[in-house]
Amino acid sequence: MTLMKNILSILSLFLALILHSQELPPIETFTTSDYAGENQNWMISQDSNNYIYVANNLGLLEFNGSEWTPYRSPNNTILRAVKVIGDRVYSGCYEEFGYWERNKFGQLDYTSLIPELGNKILNDDQIWNIISYDDWVLFQAGHALYFYHKTSKKFKTIISKNIIYKVFNVNNRIYYHVANEGIYVLEEGKPKLMVNDSIVLEDRVIGVFQNEDKLIMLSRNSGFFELHDDKLEEWNVSSNERLKALNVFSSIQLKDGSFVLGTISNGLVKINRKGEIEYEINQKKGLANNTVLSLFEDYKSNVWTGLDNGLNCINVNSAINTFIDYNGDIGTVYTTLIFNNFLYVGTNQGLFYRSIDSKNQDFKFVKGTAGQVWSLFNDNDGNLFCGHHLGTFLIEEDKSKSISSILGAWNFKTVPNHANLLLQGNYDGLYVLQKNNNSWRVRNKIEGFKNSSRFFEINDINQILVNHEYKGVFRIQLDSTLHKVIDIKPQSELALGKNSGLITYKDQIIYTSEDGVFNYIKSEEKFEKNITLSEKVSPYKSVKMVVDQTGKLWLFSEHNISFIDNDNLTNQPEITTVSIPSSLRKGVLGFENIQHIEKEKYVIGTSNGYLTMDLSQIHNTSEYVIYLNSAKIIDLNDGITDLPIQDEGDFKHKQGTLVFDYSVPEYNKFLDVNYQYKLNGKMDRWSAWSKQSSIQFENLPFGDYTLEVRAKVGNKVTENNVNYHFNINRPWYFSNMAILFYVLLLVVVGLLIHRAYKFYYERILKHEHIKSERAFIQIKNEKLNQDIEGKNRELAISTMSIIKKNELLRKIKKELKTTKNKEDIASAIDLIDTNLNNNKDWKFFKEAFNNADKDFMDKIKAAHPELTPNDLKFCAYLRLNLSSKEMAPLLNISIKSVETKRYRLRKRLQLHHDDSLVNYILKF
């Protein structure tokens, strides 16, 4: 720790230098890559739409507030003069001058006036200046003045043998300076030598101005002069001494009577109407280049500088001034405080201060404070505390005294009812500082709490509320001596929230997060949502809230800073919003700081210096207008077709990508311009706000559309909307002829489908008819099969009954033959034989067989006509697949005889040895 202190002490010696500080108006810079031109910019003008025009080495530059458009000079020479008069942009270059007019596509077309000169041709000369004079346009060349009448289109020319340095229009009188001759004034259409003092013979006149009732002339190297009785006398102003050391190249008198001078190598000088220098701006202070070739004041009092390399727009009347630490000597500002008429600035490099009364006084380093400063605190008793990474310091102007070496002093709070105590939040918890005998020291660390305590508040009952962004809000109850924690509880009603803050406002502890604003109810020991303030504050971004010396509560959001104050009549909280986006404030998130200086003036710390803001000058009463700059189609081959921006568009289907460019020409650096659009016919709601100043549409379906675009400058919406109506035609396959064709095709297809359906359903009906017939036939066949089966059963039954009867008769016959009395039974045996050989059984069988298989007999007899009735009978038995044993009783022969019959039948049927007799019979 001792080594660290020694190193920082040595570092503080190096930082104890004078840091040049100056609060300057905001400066916007445009480089060659921004405007797509060349380095030098010779003259600047503005049209009624607030578009800016610049004479550049490349040609004419047009700036619509969003995009730069370059136009090459007519003969590709350096364009040195430009002047907007009415609807025309007049310009001049080498051996050429004329005017530009906007065409229906929103682009500029050039018309040369050289042919109108006749034989008075501009030969080997440049146009250096263009001035509007009544109905005339004055073009200043090196050796001539060309007056062009806008109505008659006639020229009047004044020739000079010597070089014409510059021409001026003061109170509608034309003055011009001729080398080695003096100052001429144009009277009754003729030049009259007005001044030929040595100063105008030896030096150049850069500007001629009217200051009250006097004519003031500015020389390049000798300062200001007054004209008295046609004699030049040095103007008795304080700025002349400085101007004599400069090389002035350009100058203008602003609408408020003050002057802005552009120099070679020394930047820009702002002089008030009394001749006093207000400030100087050079490259080290934000100017893009130290050589100022041209100056122009636009309609909103911004000063444009055409430089040897680049362009600047300076908001000279802005309510916001900036101090920017371009060299990085001060660093990032974390805290600011006004104390004893000094402005103290705490940064990541230490503590710096200067007198608040002098804007141009240099910042000085407070010795011993090198390193990270977190906070500054005034105890209202003449003491300035500095919360530092290395501990706690007391500050006395340019000196610091360490009263604590405990690392990381975040913040300080007074302890209610204890004037000699302070509560300090550190990296590792809370500490109590005590004042004894006019000396401050650390009395004790509060035991029982070790969390980092950057945001904390204490009330009159020794309750401390600590907000830890990642752990939540804790309520800590201390003992009466403020030495230790008695009780600690989290405030569970509050959700953990990034970007949350805790502060005392109007004797009320409030907590703010993305969920809204909450008041601490001491009697209930909990937070309740403040609906009124929550509605006014939302959406809320930063963790930091600040209560200034006037009682205003300041909050920081992405697009604005706001303060809450009570209305004087209703005593209700009112929120006032100032449009300064975080991207332009460039403050450190969570360490935003603001301090009241005087009246309505405030200082706001940034990452590279600070801003001063005068609320009394912030009144955005301007009416803003948005313009449609171009409409074009980019086809599939990246070919670009420009479209008339005043006419309704009529496009082919899928012709390409539609691109629209629009802008609001507003040049205040601290006013953000955002755009939103809606495409009626596709989307009827507005898009989200965006800084994008163009929109493109691809693959839109056919139909009628109206594009509406509006803008918001700061918090103010433009008074008009851009409207562009266009129609996307139907594709060829949706044309009227195509639709007629589709209708006819549909009718034809309908008829074909009708016929197809008719044919289909006829087939279905026919199929169903066939199906029903088949079902009927199947049922009939099934019935026939059932009948056949019945017949077969009858045949089988009859066959079996015959077989059984014959077998019984044979058995009876056999038994009878065994008796001894043969005569008595002879008649019975004869009867049996007769019955066995009876043809009735065969007839019965044949009838039953024919019923079951009526075609068999005919088929086999047709195939084998040589078969006998007995052969047919035997075939019938074989057809029934009867065995030899079963056929023997039917034929009344032995089984062997049956086999013999089988053999004989095979021969008659001429079957081979391997052929099956039964299978052959079954085939019929």
Side-chain angles (χ1 to χ4, degrees):
M1 181 62 70
T2 303
L3 178 61
M4 177 65 73
K5 285 185 175 180
N6 291 336
I7 294 173
L8 290 174
S9 297
I10 294 172
L11 180 61
S12 68
L13 294 176
F14 288 100
L15 288 174
L17 46 82
I18 292 176
L19 300 172
H20 188 67
S21 64
Q22 192 175 26
E23 295 169 9
L24 299 173
I27 303 172
E28 190 74 54
T29 298
F30 303 97
T31 65
T32 55
S33 59
D34 293 324
Y35 55 72
E38 296 181 8
N39 292 353
Q40 294 177 314
N41 298 286
W42 295 98
M43 195 170 177
I44 306 170
S45 190
Q46 187 178 29
D47 69 6
S48 58
N49 289 344
N50 290 337
Y51 289 13
I52 295 294
Y53 297 89
V54 181
N56 178 266
N57 280 7
L58 173 77
L60 179 66
L61 306 179
E62 180 187 49
F63 184 48
N64 58 33
S66 178
E67 298 288 337
W68 289 89
T69 304
Y71 297 90
R72 287 195 171 273
S73 62
N75 55 6
N76 287 325
T77 60
I78 295 174
L79 199 71
R80 297 190 186 273
V82 63
K83 178 70 175 180
V84 178
I85 302 174
D87 295 331
R88 292 178 175 178
V89 181
Y90 290 87
S91 66
C93 55
Y94 178 75
E95 293 187 344
E96 175 64 49
F97 61 84
Y99 60 86
W100 307 74
E101 286 184 305
R102 198 171 303 281
N103 60 27
K104 64 180 180 180
F105 305 110
Q107 301 169 349
L108 295 177
D109 292 331
Y110 181 75
T111 301
S112 175
L113 291 176
I114 293 298
E116 305 292 335
L117 275 176
N119 58 358
K120 300 176 183 179
I121 298 176
L122 181 66
N123 186 26
D124 195 25
D125 207 347
Q126 303 262 8
I127 297 297
W128 292 95
N129 197 3
I130 302 173
I131 289 177
S132 177
Y133 175 61
D134 292 335
D135 292 331
W136 299 85
V137 180
L138 170 56
F139 297 90
Q140 176 211 334
H143 291 83
L145 300 178
Y146 299 96
F147 291 83
Y148 171 72
H149 197 275
K150 293 180 289 185
T151 305
S152 66
K153 300 181 180 180
K154 301 295 184 181
F155 274 95
K156 182 178 179 180
T157 305
I158 296 175
I159 304 297
S160 173
K161 292 182 180 180
N162 292 318
I163 295 176
I164 300 174
Y165 285 143
K166 202 156 190 178
V167 62
F168 313 95
N169 185 346
V170 181
N171 291 338
N172 208 35
R173 295 192 74 187
I174 299 298
Y175 301 88
Y176 63 96
H177 184 198
V178 179
N180 302 319
E181 295 182 25
I183 302 293
Y184 287 85
V185 62
L186 193 65
E187 292 183 353
E188 298 179 356
K190 296 181 180 181
K192 175 186 176 183
L193 184 62
M194 185 179 71
V195 179
N196 60 353
D197 289 4
S198 60
I199 188 66
V200 298
L201 297 176
E202 298 171 0
D203 203 350
R204 287 194 181 188
V205 174
I206 303 301
V208 179
F209 314 106
Q210 188 74 34
N211 188 39
E212 296 178 352
D213 59 344
K214 297 177 182 179
L215 200 63
I216 303 295
M217 294 188 183
L218 172 67
S219 65
R220 172 169 284 191
N221 303 114
S222 306
F224 284 107
F225 292 85
E226 291 180 328
L227 184 65
H228 289 286
D229 300 325
D230 296 333
K231 296 289 183 181
L232 287 178
E233 296 178 3
E234 186 173 331
W235 190 21
N236 186 23
V237 291
S238 60
S239 59
N240 265 351
E241 184 177 353
R242 172 62 177 156
L243 295 181
K244 291 175 183 178
L246 301 175
N247 191 346
V248 180
F249 188 84
S250 57
S251 64
I252 55 170
Q253 186 177 25
L254 304 184
K255 290 190 280 283
D256 63 2
S258 62
F259 306 93
V260 177
L261 315 183
T263 71
I264 295 175
S265 302
N266 292 98
L268 174 148
V269 181
K270 176 70 162 55
I271 299 174
N272 63 26
R273 61 189 308 162
K274 295 180 180 179
E276 301 166 338
I277 294 178
E278 291 185 7
Y279 53 79
E280 295 184 36
I281 306 176
N282 54 32
Q283 197 163 352
K284 291 183 178 180
K285 297 179 181 179
L287 210 63
N289 188 266
N290 279 332
T291 297
V292 182
L293 301 178
S294 58
L295 292 162
F296 175 75
E297 182 184 20
D298 68 17
Y299 293 137
K300 293 190 177 180
S301 300
N302 301 305
V303 173
W304 292 77
T305 63
L307 307 174
D308 195 55
N309 187 6
L311 284 159
N312 284 117
C313 177
I314 306 171
N315 308 138
V316 293
N317 289 336
S318 174
I320 299 170
N321 282 340
T322 64
F323 167 73
I324 299 177
D325 179 24
Y326 288 103
N327 296 325
D329 296 324
I330 290 179
T332 301
V333 176
Y334 281 78
T335 181
T336 55
L337 189 69
I338 308 295
F339 183 75
N340 288 344
N341 212 36
F342 287 100
L343 170 62
Y344 285 88
V345 177
T347 77
N348 64 323
Q349 296 180 183
L351 184 63
F352 302 85
Y353 77 103
R354 70 164 176 82
S355 173
I356 197 66
D357 295 327
S358 176
K359 295 180 181 179
N360 297 325
Q361 186 182 8
D362 302 320
F363 269 109
K364 296 180 181 179
F365 176 69
V366 178
K367 300 175 183 178
T369 63
Q372 177 67 60
V373 175
W374 293 122
S375 64
L376 295 170
F377 178 75
N378 179 5
D379 69 348
N380 295 323
D381 194 24
N383 293 297
L384 175 60
F385 292 81
C386 174
H388 198 283
H389 169 70
L390 295 179
T392 308
F393 296 88
L394 276 176
I395 307 300
E396 294 181 6
E397 197 167 324
D398 64 341
K399 298 180 180 62
S400 64
K401 177 184 177 183
S402 176
I403 60 173
S404 170
S405 60
I406 301 170
L407 291 178
W410 282 122
N411 214 338
F412 307 88
K413 300 291 178 182
T414 56
V415 179
N417 306 318
H418 294 81
N420 65 329
L421 297 180
L422 287 178
L423 190 63
Q424 174 179 289
N426 280 68
Y427 294 166
D428 61 346
L430 296 163
Y431 292 81
V432 177
L433 304 181
Q434 186 176 35
K435 183 179 181 181
N436 282 327
N437 299 323
N438 290 324
S439 176
W440 286 92
R441 65 176 180 84
V442 177
R443 192 191 76 174
N444 66 275
K445 183 181 189 303
I446 295 177
E447 298 177 4
F449 187 75
K450 296 181 179 181
N451 287 346
S452 178
S453 304
R454 182 179 163 207
F455 298 111
F456 64 93
E457 297 293 333
I458 184 170
N459 59 26
D460 56 0
I461 57 173
N462 292 347
Q463 277 185 350
I464 301 176
L465 292 165
V466 179
N467 177 36
H468 192 289
E469 187 176 11
Y470 302 115
K471 296 184 178 181
V473 177
F474 296 92
R475 184 179 72 253
I476 303 171
Q477 183 65 55
L478 303 182
D479 63 359
S480 58
T481 64
L482 307 180
H483 277 79
K484 63 180 180 179
V485 174
I486 297 176
D487 186 32
I488 179 170
K489 291 182 179 178
Q491 298 296 139
S492 57
E493 70 274 14
L494 298 176
L496 289 178
K498 189 179 179 182
N499 301 336
S500 58
L502 191 71
I503 202 168
T504 299
Y505 173 61
K506 294 188 180 298
D507 299 324
Q508 178 77 54
I509 297 177
I510 62 173
Y511 171 82
T512 308
S513 71
E514 294 176 346
D515 296 327
V517 179
F518 299 80
N519 293 340
Y520 181 66
I521 310 302
K522 185 167 58 176
S523 59
E524 300 179 13
E525 295 186 334
K526 70 176 184 178
F527 284 88
E528 287 187 356
K529 190 168 187 176
N530 186 322
I531 304 298
T532 303
L533 282 182
S534 294
E535 291 176 351
K536 293 180 181 295
V537 168
S538 180
Y540 180 67
K541 179 180 180 181
S542 174
V543 300
K544 193 68 179 289
M545 297 179 290
V546 177
V547 176
D548 68 27
Q549 294 89 329
T550 66
K552 295 183 178 70
L553 174 63
W554 291 85
L555 304 104
F556 298 83
S557 67
E558 183 176 0
H559 301 292
N560 308 287
I561 61 173
S562 308
F563 64 86
I564 298 173
D565 201 4
N566 282 17
D567 183 85
N568 291 329
L569 180 63
T570 63
N571 200 35
Q572 294 298 312
E574 294 291 334
I575 187 165
T576 303
T577 299
V578 181
S579 178
I580 309 180
S582 59
S583 59
L584 298 176
R585 294 195 308 265
K586 298 180 180 179
V588 181
L589 184 64
F591 290 89
E592 295 86 351
N593 54 90
I594 185 167
Q595 279 289 311
H596 178 253
I597 301 175
E598 59 179 358
K599 297 180 181 178
E600 296 290 307
K601 192 172 182 180
Y602 290 82
V603 59
I604 304 169
T606 68
S607 60
N608 57 354
Y610 62 84
L611 310 176
T612 59
M613 175 179 64
D614 192 341
L615 292 180
S616 65
Q617 294 183 23
I618 295 180
H619 39 76
N620 192 6
T621 58
S622 300
E623 296 296 334
Y624 300 102
V625 178
I626 183 172
Y627 298 98
L628 179 63
N629 299 317
S630 69
K632 53 195 173 187
I633 290 180
I634 303 176
D635 60 30
L636 298 178
N637 298 320
D638 293 331
I640 298 176
T641 303
D642 293 308
L643 306 171
I645 58 177
Q646 300 298 332
D647 301 338
E648 292 187 0
D650 189 70
F651 312 125
K652 296 178 181 178
H653 185 255
K654 291 187 177 180
Q655 186 174 348
T657 301
L658 278 171
V659 181
F660 300 94
D661 295 310
Y662 38 81
S663 67
V664 175
E666 172 55 44
Y667 309 112
N668 188 326
K669 181 174 181 177
F670 285 97
L671 282 179
D672 249 358
V673 181
N674 290 278
Y675 304 90
Q676 64 178 180
Y677 72 92
K678 64 177 178 179
L679 186 62
N680 296 321
K682 182 180 181 182
M683 50 180 285
D684 296 328
R685 58 180 180 82
W686 289 98
S687 66
W689 289 106
S690 168
K691 292 184 179 180
Q692 187 69 32
S693 61
S694 66
I695 186 65
Q696 63 182 34
F697 300 100
E698 298 181 26
N699 299 323
L700 287 174
F702 65 86
D704 289 326
Y705 298 93
T706 299
L707 173 66
E708 286 189 70
V709 185
R710 64 183 180 184
K712 182 173 65 174
V713 183
N715 295 313
K716 192 166 187 178
V717 178
T718 50
E719 64 178 6
N720 72 312
N721 291 354
V722 162
N723 289 279
Y724 185 85
H725 180 78
F726 62 95
N727 175 68
I728 295 180
N729 295 323
R730 298 176 182 179
W732 63 267
Y733 47 83
F734 275 140
S735 64
N736 291 335
M737 290 298 296
I739 292 174
L740 179 60
F741 173 75
Y742 297 149
V743 171
L744 294 175
L745 182 63
L746 186 63
V747 171
V748 172
V749 171
L751 292 174
L752 291 176
I753 291 174
H754 174 72
R755 293 189 62 182
Y757 268 97
K758 184 177 179 182
F759 177 73
Y760 172 74
Y761 282 112
E762 286 178 351
R763 286 189 62 188
I764 289 179
L765 291 174
K766 187 175 180 180
H767 177 72
E768 292 294 330
H769 179 69
I770 293 172
K771 188 176 179 181
S772 62
E773 285 186 350
R774 286 178 178 174
F776 175 75
I777 292 171
Q778 184 178 359
I779 293 171
K780 189 175 181 181
N781 290 338
E782 288 177 356
K783 185 177 180 183
L784 291 174
N785 290 334
Q786 290 175 358
D787 291 341
I788 291 171
E789 288 178 2
K791 297 293 183 178
N792 289 335
R793 284 195 296 272
E794 290 178 3
L795 179 61
I797 292 170
S798 64
T799 303
M800 293 305 296
S801 62
I802 292 172
I803 292 171
K804 289 182 179 179
K805 184 196 75 167
N806 289 345
E807 286 180 350
L808 179 62
L809 290 175
R810 285 192 182 92
K811 287 181 181 179
I812 294 173
K813 181 180 178 180
K814 187 177 181 180
E815 288 296 326
L816 289 176
K817 284 183 178 182
T818 58
T819 60
K820 294 179 179 180
N821 190 1
K822 298 196 181 285
E823 292 180 357
D824 294 337
I825 61 172
S827 58
I829 290 172
D830 291 338
L831 180 63
I832 289 172
D833 289 336
T834 302
N835 203 295
L836 286 173
N837 295 320
N838 193 355
N839 289 329
K840 290 182 179 180
D841 290 339
W842 163 245
K843 290 180 179 179
F844 175 75
F845 172 79
K846 184 178 180 181
E847 183 180 355
F849 182 83
N850 285 333
N851 287 333
D853 197 355
K854 61 183 179 178
D855 294 331
F856 172 72
M857 291 294 187
D858 296 334
K859 289 179 181 178
I860 197 168
K861 196 169 183 180
H864 302 281
E866 68 277 8
L867 294 178
T868 64
N870 287 332
D871 292 335
L872 291 174
K873 183 189 295 186
F874 190 70
C875 287
Y877 292 147
L878 289 173
R879 178 80 169 176
L880 294 176
N881 205 14
L882 298 178
S883 64
S884 297
K885 185 178 179 181
E886 291 171 330
M887 285 190 288
L890 293 173
L891 298 173
N892 195 21
I893 59 177
S894 65
I895 294 174
K896 187 175 180 181
S897 297
V898 172
E899 290 300 327
T900 301
K901 287 184 74 68
R902 279 178 178 268
Y903 173 75
R904 290 174 181 169
L905 183 61
R906 286 177 64 87
K907 287 186 70 176
R908 285 184 179 163
L909 295 178
Q910 299 179 354
L911 298 179
H912 297 292
H913 177 72
D914 295 332
D915 293 336
S916 171
L917 176 62
V918 175
N919 289 340
Y920 180 77
I921 295 300
L922 291 175
K923 288 180 181 179
F924 287 92

